């Protein structure tokens, strides 16, 4: 535990890391010298996504040829004020593939903190290996795994003038975009199952909003809701055995219901006011955050799933929506419309209603926040940079 770093500590300086060029054994097939350099650059891109690291320029390194293949000498790195060094070696593997050996050294303690070997790689799989190493490296330094193996589900259009939208997924950094739906209608509000194998979403495929589920393993789509009601805003609980969603009756009232992942066992979960939408289960399974107009303006409320008591969480703002939980179930992030500046911005608040904090300001409209699995980052929708 002596090596754990509080990356969020006030005034914390960036971690100084040296990553010499990966050593490439001459007999290695399937990867060229340039491709080896690209892999070295890629690990910097992955770790650099966090903005926690300062990468020491290579011209400051010791002049020893092929440094990553040599013995770790702490004094070579302490003189340029390095905190950690990452050595990478690329070696031959079976079937004309290759392996990568990655080692993390602590300059201060003069010891190796982490060592991993990833075998039978091609260039595509090597990228996954680098992200896996990034996750365990972050865990070694902070006690919590990194976000690099996570994926983002989002809504996109093929053109600015398109009247339809589809569900897509991508890697944590926006790379490797894959289209999930292609049904020529409006598809909205994707949400992951806890095991990451399914996505529930709202679609107008039947002519009105209903909940569907896409299985990334089988590539099959399952319709979960039907009938006279309009259904939207699905959200999985932490165990993956229940989906909460909003459903609007012909009388115009919208309440929150629950159902099994196959669409069965539908029942009313919350019906205490005229409008209750956007349910969001806490990771610990104790709470459900949602938006309600119970006291006039749409505000964020929290339902205690054990006692069935509801608590109003937000009291300011003109319209609060899209509540989402951090990984510890202690913080709720949400979007709020600020009428004075005609903008949507992101805020966060503790589950007990304390420490309300504004996260965005004067950079377009910012909506639909979602915490990364480690709770350190928030992905969100924004039109920043566009002409407003």
């Amino acid at each position: 535990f002596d090596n754990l770093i509080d990356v969020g500590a006030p005034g914390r300086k960036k971690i100084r890391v040296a990553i010499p060029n990966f050593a490439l054994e001459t007999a290695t097939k399937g990867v060229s010298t340039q491709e080896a350099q690209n892999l070295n650059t890629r690990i910097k891109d992955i770790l650099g996504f966090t903005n926690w690291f300062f990468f020491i320029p290579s011209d400051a390194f010791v002049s020893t040829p092929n440094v990553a293949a040599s013995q770790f000498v702490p004094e070579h790195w302490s003189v340029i004020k390095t905190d950690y060094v990452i050595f990478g070696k690329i070696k031959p593997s079976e079937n004309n593939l290759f392996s990568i050996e990655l080692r993390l050294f602590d300059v201060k303690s003069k010891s190796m903190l982490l060592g991993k070997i990833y075998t039978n790689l091609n260039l595509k799989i090597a990228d996954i290996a680098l992200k896996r190493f990034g996750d365990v490296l972050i865990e070694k330094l902070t006690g919590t795994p990194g976000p690099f193996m996570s994926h983002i589900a989002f809504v996109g259009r093929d053109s600015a003038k398109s009247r339809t939208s589809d569900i897509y997924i991508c890697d944590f950094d926006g790379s490797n975009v894959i289209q999930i739906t292609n049904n020529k209608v409006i598809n909205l509000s994707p949400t992951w199952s806890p095991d990451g194998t399914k996505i529930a979403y709202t679609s107008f495929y039947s002519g009105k909003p209903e909940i569907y589920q896409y299985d990334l393993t089988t590539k099959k789509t399952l319709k979960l809701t039907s009938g006279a009601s309009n259904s939207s805003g699905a959200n999985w609980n932490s165990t993956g055995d229940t989906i909460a969603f909003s459903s609007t009756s012909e009388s115009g009232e919208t309440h929150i219901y629950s159902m099994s992942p196959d669409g069965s066992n539908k029942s009313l979960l919350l019906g205490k006011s005229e409008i209750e939408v956007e349910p969001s289960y806490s990771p610990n399974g104790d709470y459900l955050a949602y938006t309600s107009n119970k006291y006039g303006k749409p505000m964020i409320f929290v339902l205690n799933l054990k006692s069935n008591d509801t608590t109003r969480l937000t009291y300011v703002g003109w319209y609060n929506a899209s509540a989402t939980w951090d990984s510890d179930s202690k913080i709720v992030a949400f979007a709020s419309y600020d009428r004075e500046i005609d903008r949507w911005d992101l805020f966060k608040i503790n589950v007990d209603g304390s420490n309300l904090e504004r996260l965005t300001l004067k950079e377009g409209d910012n909506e639909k926040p979602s915490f990364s699995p480690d709770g350190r980052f928030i992905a969100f929708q924004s039109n920043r940079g566009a002409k407003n």
Side-chain angles (χ1 to χ4, degrees):
F1 291 101
D2 292 341
N3 295 302
L4 291 184
I5 297 169
D6 183 0
V7 294
R12 172 75 198 183
K13 295 182 179 180
K14 289 190 177 183
I15 304 166
R16 294 174 60 86
V17 178
I19 309 180
N21 288 338
F22 290 172
L24 177 62
E25 292 192 2
T26 55
T28 304
K29 298 180 180 179
V31 56
S32 66
T33 301
Q34 182 58 54
E35 288 166 338
Q37 179 58 40
N38 292 343
L39 292 174
N40 179 272
T41 300
R42 179 58 174 157
I43 190 65
K44 295 176 185 176
D45 290 341
I46 291 170
L47 296 176
F49 183 85
T50 64
N51 202 34
W52 297 336
F53 299 94
F54 171 78
F55 300 105
I56 297 175
S58 57
D59 57 9
F61 297 171
V62 292
S63 59
T64 305
N66 216 3
V67 175
S70 60
Q71 185 178 3
F72 170 65
V73 181
E75 291 73 20
H76 290 169
W77 305 101
S78 60
V79 71
I80 55 173
K81 299 180 180 180
T82 308
D83 297 317
Y84 300 95
V85 180
I86 298 174
F87 281 176
K89 293 182 182 179
I90 301 177
K91 305 176 181 181
S93 190
E94 298 178 355
N95 302 319
N96 290 328
L97 300 175
F98 60 91
S99 65
I100 297 179
E101 175 186 314
L102 294 163
R103 294 175 292 160
L104 171 69
F105 294 95
D106 183 344
V107 176
K108 184 177 180 180
S109 67
K110 302 180 180 182
S111 63
M112 186 176 77
L113 298 183
L114 181 66
K116 294 288 182 180
I117 298 178
Y118 302 93
T119 61
N120 297 324
L121 306 176
N122 56 32
L123 290 174
K124 184 175 182 179
I125 300 175
D127 191 73
I128 298 174
L130 294 179
K131 287 185 287 188
R132 288 190 181 279
F133 182 76
D135 277 347
V136 296
L137 181 150
I138 295 297
E139 182 175 20
K140 192 67 178 179
L141 296 184
T142 70
T144 302
F148 308 123
M149 285 299 294
S150 59
H151 293 81
I152 298 171
F154 65 96
V155 177
R157 296 184 294 176
D158 57 10
S159 70
K161 297 181 179 180
S162 176
R163 295 183 177 181
T164 65
S165 58
D166 283 297
I167 307 299
Y168 297 79
I169 62 173
C170 67
D171 289 354
F172 77 98
D173 59 356
S175 61
N176 297 322
V177 176
I178 299 174
Q179 186 171 348
I180 298 300
T181 63
N182 188 20
N183 49 23
K184 311 302 181 184
V185 299
I186 296 173
N187 302 278
L188 302 166
S189 305
T191 180
W192 291 98
S193 63
D195 63 3
T197 63
K198 300 178 180 67
I199 296 175
Y201 61 98
T202 303
S203 178
F204 284 74
Y205 187 71
S206 67
K208 62 182 180 130
E210 294 184 308
I211 307 296
Y212 292 76
Q213 178 192 119
Y214 180 79
D215 190 316
L216 281 84
T217 303
T218 64
K219 313 299 182 185
K220 293 182 178 180
T221 300
L222 176 66
K223 185 179 180 181
L224 301 183
T225 61
S226 60
S229 300
N230 295 327
S231 300
S232 61
N235 184 264
W236 303 74
N237 70 347
S238 59
T239 57
D241 58 10
T242 303
I243 295 175
F245 64 99
S246 301
S247 189
T248 303
S249 65
E250 292 182 352
S251 64
E253 290 191 351
T254 303
H255 299 306
I256 294 174
Y257 295 77
S258 65
M259 63 181 169
S260 299
D262 62 0
S264 63
N265 301 318
K266 294 182 179 67
S267 62
L268 179 67
L269 182 60
L270 187 65
K272 297 185 177 182
S273 56
E274 185 178 346
I275 297 177
E276 293 143 341
V277 296
E278 300 180 320
S280 177
Y281 282 106
S282 62
N284 65 8
D286 292 342
Y287 306 104
L288 183 84
Y290 62 98
T291 298
S292 173
N293 70 343
K294 184 175 182 179
Y295 297 108
K297 297 176 184 178
M299 293 286 163
I300 305 299
F301 290 75
V302 173
L303 169 67
N304 187 313
L305 295 170
K306 295 181 178 179
S307 66
N308 206 35
D309 294 329
T310 59
T311 302
R312 182 175 176 177
L313 190 60
T314 62
Y315 288 83
V316 297
W318 185 255
Y319 194 123
N320 297 332
S322 305
T324 185
W325 296 85
D326 77 329
S327 55
D328 293 329
S329 302
K330 296 180 179 179
I331 296 174
V332 173
F334 62 96
S336 182
Y337 177 68
D338 189 334
R339 191 169 61 166
E340 293 184 1
I341 61 174
D342 189 26
R343 286 284 189 271
W344 283 90
D345 275 311
L346 302 184
F347 294 76
K348 69 174 184 177
I349 190 171
N350 291 346
V351 70
D352 62 2
S354 64
N355 295 328
L356 176 65
E357 181 181 349
R358 189 172 196 142
L359 303 178
T360 61
L361 179 64
K362 296 181 180 180
E363 292 195 61
D365 288 302
N366 306 281
E367 305 175 72
K368 303 290 184 182
S370 180
F371 278 97
S372 61
D374 61 356
R376 295 189 180 111
F377 303 92
I378 295 177
F380 61 96
Q381 172 185 311
S382 179
N383 64 355
R384 58 183 60 200
K387 293 181 180 180
N388 297 306

